[in-house]
């Protein structure tokens, strides 16, 4: 199996867009599911959100910060392994008035996949709210959900484009204006999800949010992605990745996300120090 | 009292040296050592060792052949009964099986059967001995095996010998199950496992990696495309203590996570390999089975100053293999018996800081069973910066939820009949998936026996109209 990278676009923001050949996964993929990516034999199994799965290719966004993106920039042409699809997808049905919200790189991919699936179903009215850090970080039009949905809203965290603040601002406005919202899908940063969960709870709105957690095997073996849902332990990989945000213990989920912060820096430094130079360390 | 020649000692890396690396602890017997050890076998008329072996290896004859330097013959003999002798020779609890039954055990000097098995397996492999294995051509019949751990591998080898077309589906990106993700390099070098699996592939067994049955390939697909299905997905889901403050707290791991990071993902080579592991200076491992020993010894090798085993029963009751416990203690691992954690306390950043524990005593219950009970008012505290919970595993729900036709008990363990068949005709199960959590060798034995049952089933049933089962997708 070859996981060739067929396209890599610098979105001129914090993120790259990557297309990878994975026909077996594409055939079985449902929006809301995720894949695991190993860039090289020695690589980590990294959970990845999928923006599109069509024509035998998976499209994903990759943040420029991490080591993976450096490998890409340094000329990686194929991935060692792509595994999936994993987790449960969304039910592709009529929800009525749906709002899909996102920030952060993974959330934007999920937003697109969900909007695309729901837009094909008659009877759904979709509002998509996408939050970016600033005007400069907004994706090019082709990679936003604008064309897929009935109403598209962009907010920026610094207010340099659209409304200032997170996706909660327009969502709250919709609620305040008395709009009947049947369902909310969302994903991205954990603190925003925590904040929106109280809004959704207060207004009793059904929802599913993708809980980003670190994973190792992604198949229910290691327990690294354990979460507390209504006090009960669940695994994001096999029970999720989407849960009703009102039931998630977000404080615990947020703390846990930083467990390997120091190690990430170490990996980055090591990569920078060894990626070329003397060649002694290269296999 | 007769004079009994003592066992030939096995050369080992000295404890203080080996805790700085992940290399194999024993060096393995040389040819001369193996010959000398095998010659100690008194060739009992009715050997007690063989029936005590879950795969009934011809131990008596193996010893004789090794003693006569007929290494090739000995290798072929062992391979006949066990497709994975290099693994089982290293990880079996021999003291509870063959060596425990050996008559010389009475004099505390049983034949080192496990070490001889490993020796002969290594000899055959390094001398590239060819094994004539496939006995028939039944390639028009297909068998799907779920899971490439010991049970799946053993079943695959045996089914292939009968000539069937065999495909194994494995979730992870590497085949071997617990042999690669769980058991550490220093106990079972991965190159050896790889070789034994490569051999299986050379025999014609197909291995589909990255395939989770019930997730990205469905059970009903396997049933509709194969003449028989063997479920050997093990008991892969971790158990947690479920005590206050526990979860999810940083640097509190399931033993599965800790070992998968270290073994499968080679976190001990971080940052050369990408997967990180946080292993602090003062590590507490809860439990005293083989997995607990593996985790404790791995932590030591990852640089922990102090590693503590926390066990609610006594050291004598520890279920670990004798040699593992012995090696662990040699390596400076501290064993605390009759203690049990009751609460975890974290620091401001959410990392484990210290544990609250209680002392335990063994009390005879009304049913006569002796079990540990907390001693009131005995609470004490123990600082630690890493906790590994090695409490055993339970079957993974992932598959079972999506194969509702297969009956299982309330723990999720698949119910089988005496022929390893599940409640669905043509679907068999073995290993931890149908027996709860057990040993590698037990799984190897079950895989082999199930293969025979599958062969009997396919030979006597018309499998052309394949069983229809409920279609369940994600």
């Amino acid at each position: 199996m070859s996981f060739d990278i067929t396209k890599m676009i610098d979105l001129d923001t914090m993120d790259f867009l990557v297309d990878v050949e994975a026909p077996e996964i594409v055939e079985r993929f449902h929006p809301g599911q995720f894949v695991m990516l190993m860039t090289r034999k020695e690589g980590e199994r990294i959970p990845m959100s999928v923006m599109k799965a069509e024509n035998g290719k998976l499209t994903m966004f990759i943040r420029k910060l991490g080591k993976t993106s450096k490998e890409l920039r340094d000329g990686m042409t194929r991935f060692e392994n792509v595994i999936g699809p994993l987790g449960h997808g969304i039910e592709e049905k009529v929800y009525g008035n749906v709002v899909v919200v996102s920030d952060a790189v993974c959330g934007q991919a999920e937003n697109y996949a969900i909007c695309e699936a729901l837009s094909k179903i008659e009877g759904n009215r979709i509002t998509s709210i996408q939050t970016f850090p600033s005007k400069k970080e907004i994706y090019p039009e082709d990679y936003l959900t604008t064309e897929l949905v009935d109403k598209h809203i962009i907010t920026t965290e610094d207010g340099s484009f659209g409304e200032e603040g997170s996706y909660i601002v327009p969502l709250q406005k919709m609620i305040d204006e008395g709009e009947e919202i049947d369902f909310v899908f969302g994903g991205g940063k954990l603190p925003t999800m925590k904040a929106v969960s109280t809004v959704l709870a207060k207004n009793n709105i059904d929802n599913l949010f993708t809980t980003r957690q670190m994973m190792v095997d992604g198949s229910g073996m290691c327990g690294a992605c354990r979460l507390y849902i209504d006090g009960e332990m669940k695994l994001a990989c096999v029970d999720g990745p989407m849960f009703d945000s009102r039931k998630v213990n977000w404080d615990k989920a947020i703390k846990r996300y930083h467990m390997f912060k120091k190690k990430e820096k170490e990996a980055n430094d090591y990569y920078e120090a060894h990626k070329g130079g003397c060649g002694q360390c290269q296999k | 009292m007769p004079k009994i020649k003592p066992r030939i000692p096995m050369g080992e890396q000295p404890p203080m040296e080996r805790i700085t690396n992940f290399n194999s602890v024993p060096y393995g017997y040389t040819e001369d050592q193996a010959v000398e050890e095998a010659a100690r076998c008194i060739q009992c008329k009715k050997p007690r060792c063989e029936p005590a072996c879950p795969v009934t290896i011809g131990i008596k004859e193996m010893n004789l052949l090794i003693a006569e330097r007929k290494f090739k013959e000995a290798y072929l003999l062992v391979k006949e009964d066990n497709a994975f002798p290099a693994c089982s020779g290293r990880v079996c609890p021999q003291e509870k099986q063959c060596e425990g039954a050996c008559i010389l055990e009475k004099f505390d000097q049983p034949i080192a059967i496990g070490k001889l098995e490993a020796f002969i397996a290594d000899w055959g492999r390094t001398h590239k001995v060819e094994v004539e294995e496939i006995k028939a051509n039944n390639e028009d019949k297909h068998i799907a095996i779920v899971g490439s751990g010991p049970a799946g591998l053993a079943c695959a080898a045996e089914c292939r010998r009968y000539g069937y077309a065999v495909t194994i589906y494995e979730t992870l990106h590497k085949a071997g199950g617990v042999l690669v993700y769980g058991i550490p390099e220093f106990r079972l070098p991965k190159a050896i496992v790889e070789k034994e699996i490569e051999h299986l592939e050379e025999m014609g067994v197909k291995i589909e990696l990255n395939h989770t049955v019930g997730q990205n390939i469905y059970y009903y697909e396997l049933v509709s495309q194969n003449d028989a299905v063997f479920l050997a997905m093990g008991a892969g889901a971790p158990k947690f203590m479920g005590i206050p403050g526990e979860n999810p707290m940083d640097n509190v791991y399931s033993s599965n996570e800790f070992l998968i990071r270290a073994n499968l993902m080679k976190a001990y080579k971080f940052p050369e390999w990408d997967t990180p592991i946080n292993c602090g200076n003062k590590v507490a491992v809860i439990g005293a089975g083989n997995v607990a020993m593996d985790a404790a010894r791995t932590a030591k090798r990852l640089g922990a100053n102090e590693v503590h085993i926390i066990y609610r029963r006594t050291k004598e009751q520890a279920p670990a293999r004798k040699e593992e416990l012995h090696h662990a203690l040699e390596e400076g691992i501290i064993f605390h018996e009759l203690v049990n954690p009751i609460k975890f306390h974290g620091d401001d950043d959410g990392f484990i800081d210290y544990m609250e524990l209680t002392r335990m005593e063994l009390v005879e219950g009304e049913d006569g069973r002796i079990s540990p009970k907390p001693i009131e008012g005995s609470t004490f505290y123990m600082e630690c910066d890493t906790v590994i919970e090695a409490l055993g595993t339970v079957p993974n729900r992932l598959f079972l939820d999506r194969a509702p036709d297969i009956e299982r008990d309330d723990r999720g363990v698949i119910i089988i009949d005496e022929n390893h068949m599940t409640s669905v005709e043509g679907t068999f199960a073995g290993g931890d998936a149908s027996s709860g959590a057990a040993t590698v060798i037990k799984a190897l034995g079950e895989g082999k026996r199930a293969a025979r049952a599958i062969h009997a089933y396919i030979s006597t049933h018309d499998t052309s109209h394949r069983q229809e089962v409920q279609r369940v997708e994600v």
Side-chain angles (χ1 to χ4, degrees):
Chain A
M1 183 74 63
S2 164
F3 299 101
D4 289 334
I5 299 168
T6 55
K7 196 199 276 179
M8 190 181 93
I9 301 171
D10 189 336
L11 296 176
D12 208 19
T13 62
M14 288 160 83
D15 305 324
F16 280 116
L17 175 136
V18 170
D19 269 9
V20 58
E21 197 103 40
E24 270 192 45
I25 299 175
V26 170
E27 198 183 305
R28 287 164 188 260
F29 183 82
H30 295 288
Q33 290 187 299
F34 64 99
V35 298
M36 291 202 110
L37 173 68
M38 291 178 76
T39 58
R40 57 188 192 123
K41 189 175 110 269
E42 298 85 355
E44 209 178 338
R45 292 168 68 106
I46 310 165
M48 293 291 299
S49 300
V50 174
M51 175 209 178
K52 258 190 209 176
E54 56 185 30
N55 305 323
K57 293 181 190 73
L58 293 171
T59 306
M60 299 176 276
F61 295 128
I62 292 179
R63 179 123 300 178
K64 284 180 186 169
L65 275 173
K67 184 167 160 253
T68 308
S69 65
K70 288 188 178 133
E71 289 169 330
L72 282 171
R73 201 166 39 202
D74 292 338
M76 184 167 272
T77 57
R78 59 177 297 276
F79 293 131
E80 170 72 19
N81 210 344
V82 185
I83 302 146
L86 301 172
H88 297 264
I90 63 163
E91 256 185 274
E92 292 169 57
K93 62 170 192 185
V94 180
Y95 289 89
N97 195 15
V98 195
V99 183
V100 189
V101 298
S102 59
D103 56 7
V105 53
C106 47
Q108 309 299 9
E110 292 145 14
N111 194 326
Y112 192 100
I114 291 169
C115 287
E116 191 175 42
L118 297 186
S119 67
K120 288 176 189 157
I121 299 165
E122 193 91 24
N124 282 324
R125 187 185 182 277
I126 312 167
T127 304
S128 172
I129 312 173
Q130 295 187 280
T131 299
F132 294 91
S134 66
K135 186 179 178 195
K136 197 200 156 292
E137 303 298 340
I138 299 171
Y139 291 170
E141 194 70 20
D142 287 354
Y143 310 110
L144 296 174
T145 54
T146 326
E147 296 297 312
L148 300 170
V149 297
D150 302 284
K151 193 169 150 200
H152 187 253
I153 301 169
I154 290 178
T155 77
T156 51
E157 284 159 7
D158 68 355
S160 53
F161 185 90
E163 207 140 0
E164 181 178 339
S166 75
Y167 53 72
I168 301 174
V169 178
L171 181 68
Q172 184 69 56
K173 201 179 271 174
M174 287 169 80
I175 295 167
D176 293 345
E177 284 165 3
E179 196 171 330
E180 280 288 321
I181 300 171
D182 296 306
F183 209 95
V184 176
F185 286 102
K189 295 178 186 171
L190 295 169
T192 333
M193 290 195 239
K194 182 191 167 190
V196 80
S197 70
T198 54
V199 175
L200 296 169
K202 206 169 138 198
N203 296 282
N204 202 19
I205 300 173
D206 287 337
N207 67 88
L208 281 173
F209 275 70
T210 303
T211 48
R212 256 195 110 54
Q213 288 295 302
M214 58 171 188
M215 294 181 188
V216 187
D217 62 283
S219 64
M221 281 172 63
C222 75
C225 64
R226 59 194 186 271
L227 287 162
Y228 275 73
I229 310 293
D230 255 354
E232 196 188 336
M233 190 184 90
K234 295 277 179 193
L235 301 179
C237 64
V238 293
D239 299 315
M242 308 181 105
F243 295 100
D244 184 335
S245 72
R246 294 170 291 185
K247 297 181 177 172
V248 178
N249 184 330
W250 289 107
D251 289 334
K252 287 191 169 188
I254 290 166
K255 266 190 179 170
R256 192 158 169 78
Y257 203 61
H258 299 292
M259 178 161 161
F260 290 107
K261 263 263 148 73
K262 278 184 197 155
K263 293 282 182 185
E264 274 164 37
K265 191 184 173 303
E266 212 181 305
N268 259 310
D269 293 350
Y270 180 89
Y271 180 75
E272 288 297 344
H274 289 73
K275 70 179 177 190
C278 66
Q280 290 293 332
C281 58
Q282 300 281 327
K283 270 169 270 163
Chain B
M1 191 142 142
K3 238 195 148 107
I4 300 292
K5 255 193 178 175
R7 245 182 197 222
I8 304 299
M10 168 68 78
E12 285 176 349
Q13 280 197 74
M16 288 309 118
E17 182 185 317
R18 69 187 187 232
I19 58 171
T20 63
N21 66 57
F22 276 79
N23 301 336
S24 174
V25 169
Y27 296 133
Y29 277 150
T30 62
E31 287 188 10
D32 289 341
Q33 285 174 322
V35 168
E36 206 178 326
E37 176 62 19
R40 290 204 309 120
C41 174
I42 58 169
Q43 297 287 310
C44 303
K45 248 201 192 99
K46 275 193 189 150
R48 294 150 48 111
C49 50
E50 291 176 12
C53 170
V55 292
T56 46
I57 292 174
I59 297 167
K60 177 180 163 182
E61 203 184 337
M62 172 186 87
N63 288 344
L64 186 63
L65 290 168
I66 295 175
E68 290 172 351
R69 290 188 177 267
K70 292 179 180 160
F71 299 135
K72 187 179 165 186
E73 288 80 357
Y75 176 68
L76 293 174
L77 175 88
V78 172
K79 274 295 244 193
E80 181 66 32
D81 291 311
N82 181 5
F84 305 93
C87 298
S88 54
R90 287 175 168 84
V91 303
C92 270
Q94 284 95 359
E95 73 274 8
K96 290 179 192 151
Q97 300 168 3
C98 52
E99 294 180 19
C102 176
I103 196 89
L104 298 183
E105 219 281 321
K106 291 202 168 43
F107 310 96
D108 220 17
Q109 297 294 335
I111 302 295
I113 299 167
K115 294 187 165 58
L116 289 172
E117 185 191 15
F119 161 79
I120 206 65
D122 293 350
W123 191 94
R125 190 179 66 249
T126 48
H127 288 78
K128 300 193 167 51
V129 176
E130 295 224 359
V131 189
E132 272 295 319
E133 280 171 308
I134 299 164
K135 297 169 190 155
N137 186 353
N138 284 310
E139 301 242 358
D140 56 326
K141 306 276 188 197
H142 293 257
I143 296 166
I145 294 178
V146 184
S148 71
L153 292 174
C155 183
E158 196 72 4
C159 286
R160 192 61 200 125
R161 286 179 179 187
Y162 292 120
Y164 297 112
V166 179
T167 307
I168 304 181
Y169 295 89
E170 167 56 45
T171 291
L172 294 172
H173 59 275
K174 228 170 157 41
V178 74
L179 304 174
V180 298
Y181 77 72
I183 302 174
E185 178 77 22
F186 54 83
R187 195 146 82 83
L188 179 62
K190 299 307 146 217
I192 290 174
V193 183
E194 274 164 28
K195 277 280 174 225
E196 295 210 326
I197 291 171
E198 251 171 53
H199 178 75
L200 205 61
E201 289 184 286
E202 283 161 17
M203 278 170 72
V205 172
K206 261 179 71 183
I207 303 181
E208 294 280 3
L209 300 173
N210 305 328
H211 280 75
T212 307
V213 177
Q215 177 67 44
N216 55 9
I217 178 161
Y218 302 114
Y219 169 61
Y220 69 79
E221 292 177 77
L222 297 190
V223 172
S224 61
Q225 291 158 16
N226 291 278
D227 296 85
V229 176
F230 181 58
L231 304 175
M233 61 282 196
K239 279 198 273 195
F240 289 95
M241 297 208 68
I243 58 175
E246 174 185 48
N247 272 316
M249 187 177 283
D250 288 350
N251 287 5
V252 174
Y253 299 91
S254 70
S255 51
N256 261 9
E257 179 182 354
F258 194 79
L259 291 173
I260 291 172
R261 284 183 186 275
N263 297 324
L264 178 72
M265 307 309 293
K266 303 243 184 295
Y268 62 89
K269 292 185 178 170
F270 181 88
E272 196 185 318
W273 285 57
D274 296 343
T275 304
I277 195 164
N278 286 341
C279 180
N281 264 327
K282 195 164 176 187
V283 178
V285 179
I286 302 161
N290 285 322
V291 176
M293 299 305 143
D294 285 346
R297 298 173 69 198
T298 298
K300 196 83 193 175
R301 283 159 176 77
L302 287 168
N305 279 338
E306 276 178 37
V307 181
H308 300 263
I309 296 261
I310 309 290
Y311 189 43
R312 62 199 182 104
R313 296 171 183 269
T314 64
K315 200 195 270 181
E316 285 65 43
Q317 292 171 302
R321 197 172 171 250
K322 208 164 128 196
E323 187 175 325
E324 295 337 310
L325 182 58
H326 168 73
H327 277 154
L329 297 174
E330 266 188 352
E331 288 166 12
I333 284 153
I334 306 155
F335 199 105
H336 302 262
E337 53 183 11
L338 295 168
V339 290
N340 204 31
I342 47 174
K343 191 173 179 180
F344 291 144
H345 296 268
D347 64 15
D348 294 341
D349 297 323
F351 283 84
I352 178 83
D353 195 13
Y354 62 99
M355 284 193 298
E356 199 171 324
L357 303 103
T358 179
R359 296 199 187 279
M360 309 289 281
E361 59 185 342
L362 294 177
V363 180
E364 195 178 326
E366 278 172 22
D367 55 357
R369 273 188 50 179
I370 293 170
S371 50
K373 293 266 153 37
I375 302 174
E376 226 172 285
S378 67
T379 305
F380 66 105
Y381 299 91
M382 185 180 191
E383 268 182 49
C384 55
D385 52 17
T386 306
V387 169
I388 305 163
E389 300 189 31
L391 308 168
T393 52
V394 289
N396 199 328
R397 308 184 294 281
L398 182 60
F399 170 80
L400 293 169
D401 290 348
R402 293 161 195 178
D405 297 353
I406 296 168
E407 270 180 38
R408 62 264 187 181
D409 69 13
D410 46 15
R411 293 174 301 157
V413 174
I414 297 171
I415 297 167
I416 51 172
D417 66 13
E418 65 282 7
N419 292 317
H420 281 271
M421 203 191 282
T422 67
S423 54
V424 176
E425 194 187 314
T427 294
F428 298 75
D432 286 1
S434 62
S435 63
T439 58
V440 167
I441 191 66
K442 197 156 171 279
L444 287 172
E446 288 184 13
K448 193 171 112 177
R449 274 196 303 282
R452 292 182 181 162
I454 290 168
H455 175 56
Y457 170 76
I458 295 181
S459 314
T460 53
H461 289 72
D462 176 12
T463 51
S464 58
H465 305 285
R466 287 162 184 158
Q467 194 81 6
E468 276 295 313
V469 299
Q470 203 177 321
R471 198 184 160 97
V472 181
E473 290 191 19
V474 179

